[in-house]
């Protein structure tokens, strides 16, 4: 069986010293087991420290974003090639906060996915409907369209891997995660889109894209997602505390 993927998205939190304290706490207190693959996503400025601190542990380093462009005259941007210098193997792409606050478009998200793949970084592509979308019963259509747009023209080679994270916008940071029924239904929808994509494109990845759930995941809800159509979770708030972090990992191991 494949390992469960546990991705910690620390967003724009934690100054360097706080970040080091959190990572030290996790490395000291957590159990590491092959059943769980851990990915830590600090802010850009904390990437070097986290990469260095975790290098002797079975922990991956992920980025929260990447430029859609290749190296060149793009002030303030960070290219996928640069992330590789910090042993980054995963990258969150198209998070709803980026779509909402920074106007990230489907076309940009697609270019970011391509930049990741060209550099052997696994993109974690975030999709999810807003509260209004769900009120209008548009969630299946919205999520389907987001994935189709993100993968339009993207051809996966055998070595390429992608991950799709279903993160309903109304569940992020609200303490109200999707019910197991809602989550299971959306996993089915997403899996159908993946099947159609693999059928229609020339993609031949060795590994089928897997699906994560994200949005107010806690230790007591994690099991209603993992195994229920999801290969893992993307965790924000709860991953900022050593105790909660290790508790969630332990639940996944047990
Ligand atoms: P949350 O964030 O766990 O705090 O809801 C998840 C995310 O935005 O990735």
């Amino acid at each position: 069986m494949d390992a469960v993927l546990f991705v910690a998205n620390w967003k724009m939190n934690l100054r360097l010293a706080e970040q080091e304290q959190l990572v030290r706490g996790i490395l000291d207190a957590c159990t590491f087991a092959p059943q769980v693959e851990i990915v830590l996503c600090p802010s850009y400025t904390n990437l070097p420290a986290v990469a260095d601190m975790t290098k002797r542990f079975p922990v991956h380093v992920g980025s929260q974003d990447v430029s859609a462009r290749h190296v060149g005259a793009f002030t303030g941007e960070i290219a996928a090639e640069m992330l590789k210098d910090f042993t980054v193997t995963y990258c969150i792409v198209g998070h709803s906060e980026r779509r909402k606050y920074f106007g990230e478009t489907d076309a940009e998200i697609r270019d970011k996915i391509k930049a990741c793949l060209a550099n052997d970084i696994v993109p974690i592509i975030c999709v999810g409907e807003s509260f209004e979308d769900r009120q209008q019963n548009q969630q299946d259509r919205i999520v389907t369209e987001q994935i189709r747009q993100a993968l339009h023209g993207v051809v996966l080679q055998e070595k390429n891997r992608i991950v799709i994270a279903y993160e309903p916008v109304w569940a992020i940071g609200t303490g109200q995660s999707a019910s197991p029924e809602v989550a299971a239904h959306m996993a089915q929808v997403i899996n159908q889109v993946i099947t159609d994509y693999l059928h229609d494109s020339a993609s031949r990845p060795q590994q089928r894209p897997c699906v994560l759930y994200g949005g107010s995941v806690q230790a007591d809800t994690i099991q209603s997602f993992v195994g229920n159509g999801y290969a893992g979770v993307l965790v924000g708030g709860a991953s900022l505390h050593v105790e909660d972090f290790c508790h969630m990992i332990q639940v996944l191991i047990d």
Side-chain angles (χ1 to χ4, degrees):
M1 209 188 107
D2 287 337
V4 171
L5 195 53
F6 181 94
V7 184
N9 176 11
W10 286 330
K11 308 193 180 185
M12 197 172 72
N13 292 300
L14 307 175
R15 302 272 302 270
L16 181 59
E18 298 165 323
Q19 181 75 90
E20 287 173 344
Q21 202 182 351
L22 174 60
V23 174
R24 210 170 296 123
I26 290 169
L27 297 179
D28 284 349
C30 280
T31 307
F32 298 99
Q35 300 97 294
V36 185
E37 186 176 346
I38 300 174
V39 183
L40 306 178
C41 303
S43 56
Y44 283 137
T45 51
N46 289 346
L47 271 174
V50 174
D52 190 53
M53 290 177 82
T54 56
K55 66 182 175 218
R56 285 190 189 82
F57 290 82
V59 168
H60 294 270
V61 180
S63 178
Q64 298 173 16
D65 191 23
V66 64
S67 177
R69 322 266 184 157
H70 293 293
V71 275
F74 302 104
T75 304
E77 289 287 275
I78 309 275
E81 290 88 333
M82 295 168 169
L83 294 177
K84 280 195 65 167
D85 291 340
F86 297 103
T87 61
V88 165
T89 45
Y90 285 86
C91 180
I92 297 170
V93 174
H95 191 282
S96 66
E97 286 153 14
R98 298 219 53 87
R99 294 180 195 252
K100 180 176 169 195
Y101 300 121
F102 305 100
E104 211 161 272
T105 64
D106 288 326
E108 257 180 297
I109 290 167
R110 195 181 309 133
D111 286 344
K112 290 182 177 193
I113 293 168
K114 287 180 180 167
C116 287
L117 294 174
N119 287 282
D120 297 323
I121 294 172
V122 179
I124 301 170
I125 306 159
C126 298
V127 296
E129 81 284 359
S130 68
F131 181 68
E132 294 73 32
D133 295 332
R134 184 158 280 275
Q135 272 185 323
Q136 293 161 16
N137 200 27
Q138 293 298 305
Q139 61 278 4
D140 294 10
R141 190 184 62 78
I142 296 282
V143 167
T144 298
E145 203 45 37
Q146 285 175 333
I147 302 170
R148 282 202 186 136
Q149 288 292 331
L151 296 180
H152 184 75
V154 174
V155 179
L156 301 177
Q157 310 298 328
E158 206 178 317
K159 61 168 186 169
N160 290 149
R161 234 183 101 202
I162 60 169
V163 173
I164 303 209
Y166 170 58
E167 295 209 299
V169 178
W170 47 269
I172 295 175
T174 60
Q176 193 206 344
S177 55
S179 68
E181 296 73 30
V182 163
H185 170 75
M186 294 311 291
Q188 257 175 22
V189 170
I190 293 168
N191 267 303
Q192 186 58 50
V193 184
I194 292 172
T195 300
D196 293 345
Y197 163 72
L198 291 176
H199 181 263
D200 298 342
S201 73
S203 293
R204 295 289 171 265
Q206 206 166 44
Q207 240 177 310
R208 182 184 161 89
C210 71
V211 189
L212 308 184
Y213 171 81
S216 295
V217 172
Q218 308 268 359
D220 58 348
T221 55
I222 205 163
Q223 272 175 322
S224 62
F225 307 113
V226 175
N228 186 22
Y230 293 92
V233 285
L234 176 49
V235 188
S239 71
L240 288 165
H241 309 282
V242 174
E243 223 171 275
D244 294 338
F245 190 110
C246 297
H247 189 185
M248 288 185 283
I249 299 296
Q250 198 58 50
V251 169
L252 293 176
I253 293 174
D254 289 344

